[in-house]
Each structure stands twice: as C-alpha cells, then as structure tokens.
Amino acid sequence: TQKGNVILKQQAAIDIGRDYPLVFDMTVKAPYPPGRYTIAPGSYRVNQWGSLELSAYDLQLLPVKQ
C-alpha cells in the first residue's frame, strides 16, 4: 500500500451444513494455523442499514477445544 502497510489474506472454510464447506478469503493481522475455530463475539457489527455482518478488518477467530 502507499503507507507501506501489508494486508494479509488467508483462505478459510466454514461449515454451514451444506454438502461442502464454504471457502472464503479473510483479512488477517497474522496467519492462523490450521485447525477448528469459532468466530469471536467482537467480530460482529451492525452496518449502517441495521443489518448484522462480520467485520472485514476485525475478524478474529477463537480455537475450538477438541
């Protein structure tokens, strides 16, 4: 970027009950190691139209204990 910042993207998949997981890219501050995660409560926000969404730049994952 112009300011010398680096934007990291990581590929992830979410199981929403379909035949196959939904694969997507997410912006991360540091790469997450492979594993099972849940979305941290602080990753949700309400947009300008009052709809719930995931924050594109503050998405945080919490490891699931197995």
Side-chain angles (χ1 to χ4, degrees):
T1 65
Q2 290 180 336
K3 295 181 181 180
N5 297 329
V6 176
I7 297 174
L8 299 175
K9 292 204 178 254
Q10 183 169 355
Q11 195 171 67
I14 186 169
D15 183 354
I16 57 174
R18 295 183 178 172
D19 290 337
Y20 299 97
L22 181 63
V23 178
F24 63 98
D25 290 331
M26 57 186 263
T27 302
V28 296
K29 294 176 183 167
Y32 286 93
R36 296 183 63 86
Y37 295 86
T38 189
I39 299 169
S43 297
Y44 297 95
R45 69 183 198 103
V46 176
N47 67 20
Q48 64 266 33
W49 298 283
S51 297
L52 185 66
E53 66 183 17
L54 288 171
S55 176
Y57 297 102
D58 292 321
L59 180 61
Q60 295 180 356
L61 303 178
L62 302 172
V64 172
K65 296 179 182 176
Q66 298 190 19

Coordinates of all heavy atoms in Angstrom, one line a residue:
T1 N 0.8 -1.2 0.0 CA 0.0 0.0 0.0 C 0.9 1.2 0.0 O 2.1 1.2 0.2 CB -0.9 0.0 1.2 OG1 -0.1 0.1 2.4 CG2 -1.8 -1.2 1.3
Q2 N 0.3 2.4 -0.1 CA 1.0 3.6 -0.2 C 1.8 3.9 1.1 O 2.9 4.5 1.1 CB 0.1 4.8 -0.5 CG -0.4 4.8 -1.9 CD -1.3 6.0 -2.2 OE1 -1.9 6.5 -1.3 NE2 -1.4 6.3 -3.5
K3 N 1.2 3.6 2.2 CA 1.9 3.8 3.5 C 2.8 2.7 3.9 O 3.4 2.8 5.0 CB 0.8 4.0 4.6 CG -0.1 5.2 4.4 CD -1.1 5.3 5.5 CE -2.0 6.5 5.3 NZ -3.0 6.6 6.4
G4 N 3.0 1.7 3.1 CA 3.9 0.7 3.4 C 3.3 -0.4 4.3 O 4.0 -1.3 4.8
N5 N 2.0 -0.3 4.5 CA 1.3 -1.4 5.3 C 1.1 -2.6 4.4 O 1.0 -2.6 3.2 CB -0.1 -0.9 5.7 CG 0.0 0.3 6.6 OD1 0.9 0.4 7.4 ND2 -1.0 1.1 6.6
V6 N 1.1 -3.8 5.0 CA 0.9 -5.0 4.4 C -0.4 -5.6 4.8 O -0.8 -5.6 5.9 CB 2.0 -6.0 4.7 CG1 1.8 -7.4 4.1 CG2 3.4 -5.5 4.3
I7 N -1.2 -6.0 3.8 CA -2.5 -6.6 4.0 C -2.4 -8.1 3.8 O -2.0 -8.5 2.7 CB -3.6 -6.0 3.2 CG1 -3.8 -4.5 3.5 CG2 -4.9 -6.7 3.3 CD1 -4.7 -3.8 2.6
L8 N -2.6 -8.9 4.8 CA -2.5 -10.3 4.7 C -3.9 -10.9 4.5 O -4.9 -10.5 5.2 CB -1.9 -10.9 6.0 CG -0.5 -10.5 6.3 CD1 -0.1 -11.1 7.6 CD2 0.5 -10.9 5.2
K9 N -4.0 -11.9 3.6 CA -5.3 -12.6 3.4 C -5.0 -14.1 3.6 O -3.9 -14.5 3.3 CB -5.8 -12.3 2.0 CG -6.3 -10.9 1.8 CD -7.3 -10.8 0.7 CE -7.8 -9.4 0.5 NZ -9.1 -9.2 1.0
Q10 N -6.0 -14.7 4.1 CA -5.9 -16.2 4.4 C -7.1 -16.8 3.9 O -8.2 -16.3 4.1 CB -5.6 -16.4 5.9 CG -5.4 -17.9 6.2 CD -4.9 -18.1 7.6 OE1 -4.6 -17.1 8.4 NE2 -4.8 -19.3 8.0
Q11 N -7.0 -18.0 3.3 CA -8.2 -18.7 2.9 C -8.7 -19.6 4.1 O -7.9 -20.2 4.8 CB -7.8 -19.6 1.7 CG -9.0 -20.2 1.0 CD -8.7 -20.8 -0.3 OE1 -8.0 -21.9 -0.3 NE2 -9.1 -20.3 -1.4
A12 N -10.0 -19.6 4.2 CA -10.6 -20.4 5.3 C -11.9 -21.1 4.7 O -12.3 -20.8 3.6 CB -11.0 -19.5 6.4
A13 N -12.5 -21.9 5.5 CA -13.7 -22.6 5.1 C -14.6 -22.6 6.3 O -14.2 -22.8 7.4 CB -13.4 -24.0 4.6
I14 N -15.9 -22.5 6.0 CA -16.9 -22.6 7.1 C -17.9 -23.7 6.8 O -18.3 -23.8 5.6 CB -17.6 -21.2 7.3 CG1 -18.5 -21.2 8.5 CG2 -18.3 -20.7 6.0 CD1 -19.0 -19.8 8.9
D15 N -18.3 -24.4 7.8 CA -19.3 -25.5 7.6 C -20.6 -24.9 8.0 O -20.9 -24.6 9.2 CB -18.9 -26.7 8.5 CG -19.9 -27.8 8.3 OD1 -20.9 -27.7 7.6 OD2 -19.6 -28.9 8.9
I16 N -21.5 -24.7 7.0 CA -22.8 -24.2 7.3 C -23.9 -25.2 7.0 O -25.1 -24.9 6.8 CB -23.1 -22.9 6.6 CG1 -22.9 -23.0 5.1 CG2 -22.2 -21.7 7.1 CD1 -23.3 -21.8 4.2
G17 N -23.5 -26.5 7.0 CA -24.5 -27.6 6.8 C -24.8 -28.0 5.4 O -25.7 -28.8 5.1
R18 N -24.0 -27.4 4.4 CA -24.2 -27.8 3.0 C -23.4 -29.1 2.8 O -22.7 -29.6 3.6 CB -23.8 -26.7 2.1 CG -24.6 -25.5 2.3 CD -24.2 -24.4 1.3 NE -25.1 -23.2 1.4 CZ -24.9 -22.1 0.7 NH1 -23.8 -22.0 0.0 NH2 -25.7 -21.1 0.9
D19 N -23.4 -29.5 1.5 CA -22.7 -30.7 1.1 C -21.2 -30.5 1.3 O -20.4 -31.5 1.6 CB -23.0 -31.2 -0.3 CG -24.4 -31.7 -0.4 OD1 -25.0 -32.2 0.6 OD2 -24.9 -31.6 -1.6
Y20 N -20.7 -29.3 1.0 CA -19.3 -29.0 1.1 C -19.1 -27.7 1.9 O -20.0 -26.8 1.9 CB -18.7 -28.8 -0.3 CG -18.8 -30.0 -1.1 CD1 -19.8 -30.2 -2.0 CD2 -17.8 -31.0 -1.0 CE1 -19.9 -31.3 -2.8 CE2 -17.9 -32.2 -1.8 CZ -18.9 -32.3 -2.7 OH -19.0 -33.5 -3.4
P21 N -18.0 -27.5 2.6 CA -17.7 -26.3 3.3 C -17.6 -25.1 2.3 O -17.3 -25.3 1.2 CB -16.3 -26.5 4.0 CG -16.1 -28.0 4.0 CD -16.9 -28.5 2.8
L22 N -18.0 -23.9 2.8 CA -17.9 -22.7 2.0 C -16.5 -22.1 2.2 O -16.2 -21.7 3.3 CB -19.0 -21.7 2.5 CG -19.1 -20.4 1.8 CD1 -19.5 -20.6 0.3 CD2 -20.2 -19.5 2.4
V23 N -15.8 -22.0 1.1 CA -14.4 -21.5 1.1 C -14.4 -20.0 0.9 O -15.2 -19.5 0.0 CB -13.5 -22.2 0.1 CG1 -12.1 -21.6 0.1 CG2 -13.5 -23.7 0.4
F24 N -13.7 -19.2 1.7 CA -13.6 -17.8 1.5 C -12.3 -17.2 1.9 O -11.5 -17.9 2.5 CB -14.7 -17.1 2.4 CG -14.5 -17.3 3.8 CD1 -13.9 -16.3 4.6 CD2 -15.0 -18.5 4.5 CE1 -13.8 -16.5 6.0 CE2 -14.8 -18.7 5.8 CZ -14.2 -17.7 6.6
D25 N -12.0 -16.0 1.5 CA -10.8 -15.3 1.9 C -11.1 -14.3 3.1 O -12.1 -13.7 3.1 CB -10.2 -14.5 0.8 CG -9.6 -15.4 -0.3 OD1 -9.2 -16.5 0.0 OD2 -9.6 -15.0 -1.5
M26 N -10.2 -14.2 4.0 CA -10.3 -13.3 5.1 C -9.1 -12.5 5.3 O -8.0 -13.0 5.0 CB -10.8 -14.0 6.4 CG -9.8 -15.1 6.9 SD -10.5 -16.0 8.3 CE -9.6 -15.1 9.6
T27 N -9.2 -11.2 5.7 CA -8.1 -10.4 6.0 C -7.6 -10.7 7.4 O -8.5 -10.7 8.3 CB -8.5 -8.9 5.9 OG1 -8.9 -8.7 4.6 CG2 -7.3 -8.0 6.2
V28 N -6.3 -10.9 7.7 CA -5.8 -11.2 9.0 C -4.6 -10.4 9.3 O -3.9 -9.9 8.4 CB -5.4 -12.7 9.1 CG1 -6.6 -13.6 8.9 CG2 -4.4 -13.1 8.0
K29 N -4.4 -10.2 10.6 CA -3.2 -9.5 11.1 C -2.0 -10.4 11.1 O -0.9 -10.0 10.9 CB -3.5 -8.8 12.4 CG -4.5 -7.8 12.4 CD -4.9 -7.2 13.7 CE -6.0 -6.2 13.6 NZ -6.6 -5.8 14.8
A30 N -2.3 -11.7 11.4 CA -1.2 -12.7 11.4 C -1.9 -14.0 11.0 O -3.1 -14.2 11.3 CB -0.6 -12.8 12.8
P31 N -1.2 -14.9 10.3 CA -1.9 -16.1 9.8 C -2.3 -17.0 11.0 O -1.6 -17.1 12.0 CB -0.8 -16.8 9.0 CG 0.2 -15.7 8.7 CD 0.1 -14.7 9.8
Y32 N -3.4 -17.6 10.8 CA -3.9 -18.6 11.8 C -3.4 -20.0 11.4 O -3.4 -20.3 10.2 CB -5.5 -18.7 11.8 CG -6.1 -17.5 12.5 CD1 -6.5 -16.4 11.7 CD2 -6.4 -17.5 13.8 CE1 -7.1 -15.3 12.3 CE2 -7.0 -16.4 14.5 CZ -7.4 -15.3 13.7 OH -8.0 -14.3 14.3
P33 N -2.9 -20.8 12.3 CA -2.5 -22.2 12.0 C -3.7 -23.0 11.6 O -4.9 -22.7 12.0 CB -1.8 -22.7 13.3 CG -2.3 -21.8 14.4 CD -2.7 -20.5 13.8
P34 N -3.6 -24.1 10.9 CA -4.7 -25.0 10.6 C -5.4 -25.5 11.9 O -4.7 -25.7 12.9 CB -4.0 -26.1 9.8 CG -2.8 -25.6 9.3 CD -2.3 -24.6 10.3
G35 N -6.7 -25.6 11.8 CA -7.4 -26.1 13.0 C -8.9 -25.7 12.9 O -9.3 -25.2 11.9
R36 N -9.6 -26.0 14.0 CA -11.0 -25.6 14.0 C -11.1 -24.4 14.9 O -10.6 -24.3 16.0 CB -11.8 -26.8 14.6 CG -11.7 -28.0 13.7 CD -12.6 -29.1 14.2 NE -14.0 -28.8 14.3 CZ -14.9 -28.9 13.3 NH1 -14.5 -29.4 12.1 NH2 -16.1 -28.6 13.5
Y37 N -12.0 -23.4 14.5 CA -12.1 -22.2 15.1 C -13.6 -21.8 15.2 O -14.4 -22.3 14.4 CB -11.4 -21.0 14.4 CG -9.9 -21.2 14.4 CD1 -9.2 -22.0 13.4 CD2 -9.1 -20.6 15.4 CE1 -7.9 -22.1 13.4 CE2 -7.7 -20.8 15.4 CZ -7.1 -21.5 14.4 OH -5.8 -21.7 14.4
T38 N -13.9 -20.9 16.1 CA -15.2 -20.2 16.1 C -15.0 -18.7 16.0 O -13.9 -18.2 16.3 CB -16.0 -20.6 17.4 OG1 -17.3 -20.1 17.3 CG2 -15.3 -20.0 18.6
I39 N -16.0 -18.0 15.6 CA -15.9 -16.6 15.4 C -16.0 -15.9 16.7 O -17.0 -16.1 17.5 CB -16.9 -16.1 14.4 CG1 -16.7 -16.8 13.0 CG2 -16.8 -14.5 14.2 CD1 -17.8 -16.5 12.0
A40 N -15.1 -15.0 17.1 CA -15.1 -14.2 18.3 C -16.3 -13.2 18.3 O -16.6 -12.7 17.3 CB -13.8 -13.5 18.5
P41 N -16.9 -13.1 19.5 CA -18.1 -12.1 19.5 C -17.8 -10.7 19.0 O -18.7 -10.1 18.4 CB -18.4 -12.1 21.0 CG -17.9 -13.4 21.5 CD -16.7 -13.7 20.7
G42 N -16.6 -10.2 19.2 CA -16.3 -8.9 18.8 C -16.1 -8.7 17.3 O -15.9 -7.6 16.8
S43 N -16.2 -9.8 16.6 CA -16.1 -9.8 15.1 C -17.4 -9.4 14.4 O -17.3 -9.1 13.2 CB -15.6 -11.1 14.6 OG -14.3 -11.5 15.1
Y44 N -18.5 -9.3 15.1 CA -19.7 -8.9 14.5 C -20.0 -7.5 14.7 O -19.5 -6.9 15.7 CB -20.9 -9.7 15.2 CG -20.8 -11.2 15.0 CD1 -20.2 -12.0 16.0 CD2 -21.3 -11.8 13.9 CE1 -20.2 -13.4 15.8 CE2 -21.3 -13.2 13.7 CZ -20.7 -14.0 14.7 OH -20.6 -15.3 14.5
R45 N -20.7 -6.9 13.7 CA -21.0 -5.5 13.9 C -22.4 -5.2 13.2 O -22.8 -6.1 12.4 CB -20.0 -4.6 13.3 CG -19.8 -4.6 11.8 CD -18.7 -3.7 11.3 NE -18.8 -3.5 9.9 CZ -19.3 -2.3 9.4 NH1 -19.6 -1.3 10.2 NH2 -19.4 -2.2 8.1
V46 N -23.0 -4.1 13.5 CA -24.2 -3.7 12.8 C -23.9 -2.7 11.8 O -23.2 -1.7 12.1 CB -25.3 -3.2 13.8 CG1 -26.5 -2.7 13.1 CG2 -25.6 -4.3 14.8
N47 N -24.3 -2.9 10.5 CA -23.9 -1.9 9.5 C -24.8 -0.7 9.5 O -25.8 -0.6 10.3 CB -23.8 -2.6 8.1 CG -25.1 -3.1 7.6 OD1 -26.2 -2.6 8.0 ND2 -25.1 -4.0 6.7
Q48 N -24.6 0.2 8.5 CA -25.4 1.5 8.5 C -26.9 1.2 8.2 O -27.7 2.1 8.4 CB -24.8 2.5 7.5 CG -24.9 2.0 6.1 CD -23.6 1.3 5.6 OE1 -22.9 0.6 6.4 NE2 -23.2 1.5 4.4
W49 N -27.3 0.1 7.7 CA -28.7 -0.3 7.5 C -29.3 -1.1 8.6 O -30.4 -1.6 8.5 CB -28.8 -1.0 6.1 CG -28.4 -0.1 5.0 CD1 -29.0 0.9 4.4 CD2 -27.1 -0.2 4.3 NE1 -28.3 1.5 3.4 CE2 -27.1 0.8 3.3 CE3 -26.0 -1.0 4.4 CZ2 -26.0 1.0 2.5 CZ3 -24.9 -0.8 3.6 CH2 -25.0 0.2 2.6
G50 N -28.5 -1.3 9.7 CA -29.1 -2.1 10.8 C -29.0 -3.6 10.7 O -29.5 -4.3 11.5
S51 N -28.2 -4.1 9.7 CA -28.1 -5.5 9.5 C -26.8 -6.0 10.1 O -25.8 -5.3 10.2 CB -28.0 -5.8 8.0 OG -29.2 -5.5 7.3
L52 N -26.8 -7.2 10.6 CA -25.7 -7.8 11.3 C -24.7 -8.3 10.2 O -25.2 -8.9 9.2 CB -26.1 -9.0 12.2 CG -25.1 -9.7 13.0 CD1 -24.5 -8.7 14.0 CD2 -25.6 -10.9 13.6
E53 N -23.4 -8.1 10.4 CA -22.4 -8.6 9.5 C -21.1 -8.8 10.2 O -21.0 -8.4 11.3 CB -22.2 -7.6 8.3 CG -21.6 -6.3 8.7 CD -21.5 -5.3 7.5 OE1 -22.1 -5.5 6.5 OE2 -20.7 -4.3 7.7
L54 N -20.2 -9.5 9.5 CA -18.9 -9.8 10.1 C -18.0 -8.6 9.7 O -18.1 -8.1 8.5 CB -18.3 -11.0 9.5 CG -18.9 -12.3 10.1 CD1 -18.4 -13.5 9.3 CD2 -18.6 -12.5 11.5
S55 N -17.2 -8.1 10.6 CA -16.3 -7.0 10.3 C -15.2 -7.5 9.4 O -14.5 -8.5 9.7 CB -15.7 -6.5 11.6 OG -14.8 -5.5 11.3
A56 N -15.0 -6.9 8.3 CA -14.0 -7.3 7.3 C -12.6 -7.2 7.8 O -11.7 -8.0 7.4 CB -14.1 -6.5 6.0
Y57 N -12.3 -6.2 8.7 CA -10.9 -6.0 9.1 C -10.7 -6.3 10.6 O -9.5 -6.2 11.0 CB -10.5 -4.5 8.8 CG -10.5 -4.3 7.3 CD1 -11.5 -3.6 6.7 CD2 -9.5 -4.8 6.5 CE1 -11.6 -3.4 5.4 CE2 -9.5 -4.6 5.1 CZ -10.5 -3.9 4.6 OH -10.6 -3.7 3.2
D58 N -11.7 -6.7 11.3 CA -11.5 -7.0 12.7 C -12.0 -8.4 13.0 O -12.3 -8.8 14.1 CB -12.3 -6.0 13.6 CG -11.7 -4.6 13.6 OD1 -10.5 -4.5 13.6 OD2 -12.5 -3.7 13.6
L59 N -12.0 -9.3 12.0 CA -12.5 -10.7 12.2 C -11.4 -11.4 13.0 O -10.3 -11.4 12.6 CB -12.7 -11.3 10.8 CG -13.1 -12.8 10.8 CD1 -14.5 -12.9 11.5 CD2 -13.2 -13.3 9.4
Q60 N -11.9 -12.0 14.1 CA -11.0 -12.7 15.0 C -11.6 -14.1 15.2 O -12.8 -14.3 15.3 CB -10.8 -12.1 16.3 CG -10.1 -10.7 16.2 CD -9.9 -10.0 17.5 OE1 -10.4 -10.5 18.5 NE2 -9.3 -8.9 17.5
L61 N -10.7 -15.1 15.2 CA -11.1 -16.5 15.4 C -10.6 -17.0 16.7 O -9.5 -16.6 17.2 CB -10.6 -17.4 14.3 CG -11.0 -17.0 12.9 CD1 -10.4 -17.9 11.9 CD2 -12.5 -17.0 12.7
L62 N -11.4 -17.8 17.4 CA -11.0 -18.5 18.6 C -10.9 -20.0 18.4 O -11.8 -20.6 17.8 CB -12.1 -18.2 19.7 CG -12.4 -16.7 20.0 CD1 -13.6 -16.6 21.0 CD2 -11.2 -16.1 20.6
P63 N -9.8 -20.6 18.9 CA -9.6 -22.0 18.7 C -10.7 -22.8 19.4 O -11.1 -22.4 20.5 CB -8.3 -22.3 19.3 CG -7.6 -21.0 19.6 CD -8.7 -20.0 19.5
V64 N -11.2 -23.8 18.8 CA -12.2 -24.7 19.4 C -11.4 -25.8 20.1 O -10.6 -26.5 19.5 CB -13.1 -25.3 18.3 CG1 -14.0 -26.4 19.0 CG2 -13.9 -24.2 17.7
K65 N -11.7 -26.0 21.4 CA -11.0 -27.1 22.2 C -11.6 -28.4 21.7 O -12.8 -28.6 21.7 CB -11.2 -26.9 23.6 CG -10.5 -25.6 24.1 CD -10.7 -25.4 25.6 CE -10.1 -24.1 26.1 NZ -10.3 -23.8 27.5
Q66 N -10.8 -29.4 21.4 CA -11.2 -30.7 21.0 C -11.1 -31.7 22.0 O -10.3 -31.8 22.8 CB -10.5 -31.0 19.7 CG -10.9 -30.0 18.6 CD -10.4 -30.4 17.2 OE1 -10.2 -31.6 17.0 NE2 -10.3 -29.5 16.3

